[in-house]
Amino acid sequence: QSALTQPPSASGSPGQSVTISCTGTSSDVGAYNYVSWYQQHPGKAPKLIIYEVTKRPSGVSDRFSGSKSGNTASLTVSGLQAEDEADYYCSSYTGSNNLVIFGGGTKLTVL
Amino acid sequence: QVQLQESGPGLVKPSETLSLTCTVSGDSISSYYWSWIRQFPGKGLEWIGNIYYTGTTNCNPSLKSRVTISLDTSKNQFSLKLSSVTAADTAVYYCARHRYSGASSYFDYWGQGTLVTVSS
């Protein structure tokens, strides 16, 4: 099972919005609303910021939002802040062997 | 507050077995699924597998022949054994609570991670 495809990098200035894509197939992203997103700062564990495509855990800023169209899921970070600079990973369930797969990660830089 | 803490050797010799334990506090292990995930030096994440309190497990097919996941409900711990390791198994290993059902799949709590290096 191949990993999900994410752009290696993204950037934006403070206050702007940035969208990160996550492309899978009709067997994973396109088949289930089980896409989740994780934020990882250097030397730290990943942190859940979006689950089930659009839902935010309690305590996560509403500047983070998720969506999906076909086989591609997206994470939008609005009102960029310096603290948003981090790596972002998407993940999806696939019905094949009850497998969970991740994207390769996107490094978000706040200019 | 749910907390997870990985423990185990940071250095394993090639061909030997990597063994890690995750201790869970703030929640009973007798609920939800519990997963192992690793992150390679190049940053990529790989799901290794999970276990339910009943003992039911799911594993990444690419690792299935080498992976054993077990749990000890009396200690609120679950464990990972990965046999016949090579340098390619060098990674940071995380344990995580896995919200996994017919309707969902996501990891809502993670341990801090432990670096395991495979080297002679």
Side-chain angles (χ1 to χ4, degrees):
Chain A
Q1 184 72 35
S2 300
L4 304 173
T5 301
Q6 296 182 236
S9 63
S11 63
S13 300
Q16 289 186 331
S17 293
V18 170
T19 296
I20 298 170
S21 62
C22 170
T23 301
T25 70
S26 57
S27 296
D28 39 69
V29 174
Y32 305 95
N33 287 328
Y34 298 171
V35 176
S36 51
W37 290 90
Y38 303 86
Q39 177 192 61
Q40 185 179 34
H41 287 109
K44 300 294 187 181
K47 173 190 173 185
L48 177 70
I49 56 173
I50 294 289
Y51 66 100
E52 293 172 6
V53 180
T54 62
K55 298 178 181 178
R56 274 188 314 275
S58 174
V60 172
S61 171
D62 60 4
R63 297 185 298 104
F64 294 94
S65 62
S67 63
K68 189 184 84 167
S69 177
N71 297 336
T72 298
S74 298
L75 172 72
T76 298
V77 187
S78 58
L80 272 175
Q81 299 180 2
E83 67 205 48
D84 299 331
E85 186 160 295
D87 292 325
Y88 291 83
Y89 294 89
C90 62
S91 177
S92 177
Y93 171 84
T94 93
S96 174
N97 295 304
N98 295 319
L99 179 62
V100 177
I101 55 176
F102 287 93
T106 298
K107 181 175 180 57
L108 175 60
T109 301
V110 180
L111 302 170
Chain B
Q1 177 73 359
V2 180
Q3 293 185 313
L4 297 91
Q5 178 68 58
E6 305 88 352
S7 59
L11 180 64
V12 182
K13 290 183 168 55
S15 80
E16 295 189 344
T17 296
L18 177 161
S19 296
L20 296 174
T21 296
C22 182
T23 301
V24 180
S25 58
D27 192 12
S28 170
I29 202 169
S30 297
S31 57
Y32 306 117
Y33 280 80
W34 303 89
S35 271
W36 287 99
I37 299 156
R38 64 183 180 177
Q39 185 166 34
F40 300 108
K43 296 193 321 179
L45 289 164
E46 180 177 60
W47 178 71
I48 297 170
N50 67 14
I51 189 166
Y52 194 49
Y53 77 97
T54 58
T56 299
T57 58
N58 296 285
C59 285
N60 190 320
S62 68
L63 299 168
K64 194 168 186 176
S65 63
R66 299 196 291 135
V67 167
T68 302
I69 300 175
S70 60
L71 58 81
D72 186 335
T73 55
S74 67
K75 295 181 179 178
N76 227 38
Q77 295 176 334
F78 63 106
S79 298
L80 168 70
K81 290 189 186 299
L82 180 65
S83 63
S84 304
V85 297
T86 69
D89 293 309
T90 293
V92 174
Y93 285 75
Y94 293 100
C95 57
R97 191 172 81 172
H98 192 173
R99 304 299 293 270
Y100 181 82
S101 70
S104 193
S105 175
Y106 57 93
F107 308 98
D108 58 352
Y109 289 97
W110 297 62
Q112 65 184 29
T114 186
L115 174 63
V116 178
T117 301
V118 178
S119 175
S120 55

